[in-house]
Amino acid sequence: MVSFALYNLKGGVGKTAAAVNLAYLSAASGLKTLLWDLDPQGSGSFYFNVRPSAKNESKKILLDEMLLKDAAQDSAFENLWVVPSDLSARNADLLLDGLKQSKKKLKSILGSTKFFDVAIIDCPPGISLLHENIFNAADHILMPNIPTTLSIRSYETVMDYFKENDLDRSKVKCFFSMVDHRKNLHHETMQQFYKDRIFFKSYIPYLSDVEKMGVHVQPVFEFANSSYAAQCYRDLWNEIRKAFL
């Protein structure tokens, strides 16, 4: 199984939309795909219309009271399962802090199931013990960044954190998100960072069809399959698949 974490220090950068659409594309390509929603907001679960089957399910998974594969629910789409989030996920740091090998617990949980080909983790924003778990557990960390000064600064903060904590910086691969072609700053920032080959060439523009996912409660392909937004996610998925699968 190959695991991808959709992560950023900042919120509101298109992380969950990317996780949902990339999971959909992975499943559509024939790969048995798991979306693990670790964000207490549960937006990834919402887009797939999946709710926890038991109370405090997120907590139970972390405490080994429920297996990850048992928490995974069928979605409406072939080859796609979802582990939904709930509010107990907000206490993940406290729960992990009381466990042995607290920085590698998620890696152990992911390693306990061999059924899936691809796991995509939708992460809450921030840097904490939970996130260090994610950094250790995921094979690849996909970081969406809006091409603005503050968003790029958050990327640099994360990379500094990896260096200071001896984490594998080669795991991190970025892509630009919510790109507004009307803004010169976006174009200038993108060109600057493309030179370092840290960012995928494919990017996700700022488009209303992505925002409408919440209205339709579906991935963008289900209501706007021929749209530019859908094509941009396909391009990004194809680039990720070529690099890592």
Side-chain angles (χ1 to χ4, degrees), residues 82-141:
V82 178
V83 174
S85 184
D86 57 44
L87 283 177
S88 69
R90 74 189 189 282
N91 296 319
D93 288 309
L94 292 173
L95 296 170
L96 290 167
D97 192 44
L99 299 175
K100 294 180 180 180
Q101 295 292 310
S102 61
K103 294 182 179 181
K104 296 185 178 180
K105 183 59 182 178
L106 261 63
K107 185 174 184 178
S108 174
I109 293 171
L110 275 177
S112 68
T113 178
K114 306 297 181 185
F115 175 76
F116 303 103
D117 301 311
V118 171
I120 294 178
I121 307 169
D122 185 21
C123 309
I127 293 184
S128 66
L129 181 56
L130 172 63
H131 298 94
E132 191 155 350
N133 261 267
I134 292 166
F135 300 152
N136 282 314
D139 295 312
H140 307 287
I141 298 157

Side-chain angles (χ1 to χ4, degrees), residues 21-33 79 118 120 237 245:
N21 285 304
L22 293 176
Y24 179 96
L25 288 169
S26 174
S29 71
L31 297 168
K32 289 182 289 187
T33 303
N79 296 321
V118 171
I120 294 178
W237 169 245
L245 295 171

